[in-house]
Amino acid sequence: MIVGIGVDVVDIARFIATLERTPRLREKLFTTAERELPDASLAARFAAKEAIAKALGAPGDLVWHDATVHRTPGGPPTVDLRGTVLRRAQSLGITTWHLSISHDAGIASAFVIAEG
């Protein structure tokens, strides 16, 4: 059963400009490993985290580092949840995540389906 869906789009240039203006924001939003990604991939990870939050009902107490998106060579991206995000997912009965991320023509996007 679908418990939640989420979608988000990010203008890559605008997002990177925001990170450059506010350097601490990069640390707040991303884990150490994520911070090393190319700009387009970083924007796509942010879109994925936003989409995950929306699928969870967008509670204001989620910690950005508590959701990490991993690239799987030859397969779909995977989601690693912990802390605040994991607790919210468990409270909603979410057991499976389906995630699609993409970036092209200056736009990064993510779509998430949460099943329980």
Side-chain angles (χ1 to χ4, degrees), residues 5-27:
I5 61 168
V7 65
D8 196 62
V9 295
V10 174
D11 180 301
I12 297 169
R14 185 172 155 207
F15 179 70
I16 297 305
T18 300
L19 291 180
E20 289 171 355
R21 276 194 317 273
T22 315
R24 297 194 73 190
L25 186 58
R26 185 180 297 256
E27 293 174 15

Side-chain angles (χ1 to χ4, degrees), residues 1-94:
M1 177 170 102
I2 295 175
V3 177
I5 61 168
V7 65
D8 196 62
V9 295
V10 174
D11 180 301
I12 297 169
R14 185 172 155 207
F15 179 70
I16 297 305
T18 300
L19 291 180
E20 289 171 355
R21 276 194 317 273
T22 315
R24 297 194 73 190
L25 186 58
R26 185 180 297 256
E27 293 174 15
K28 179 181 179 181
L29 298 175
F30 302 105
T31 64
T32 302
E34 288 174 321
R35 287 182 223 141
E36 303 302 318
L37 293 169
D39 290 351
S41 294
L42 197 63
R45 293 310 190 281
F46 178 73
K49 290 180 183 206
E50 281 281 323
I52 290 166
K54 290 173 183 176
L56 294 171
D61 63 343
L62 299 180
V63 175
W64 291 100
H65 285 222
D66 287 348
T68 304
V69 176
H70 299 283
R71 183 173 175 256
T72 305
T78 60
V79 180
D80 178 30
L81 305 180
R82 60 203 159 277
T84 58
V85 179
L86 178 60
R87 283 191 297 278
R88 177 65 176 174
Q90 289 172 334
S91 75
L92 295 172
I94 296 169

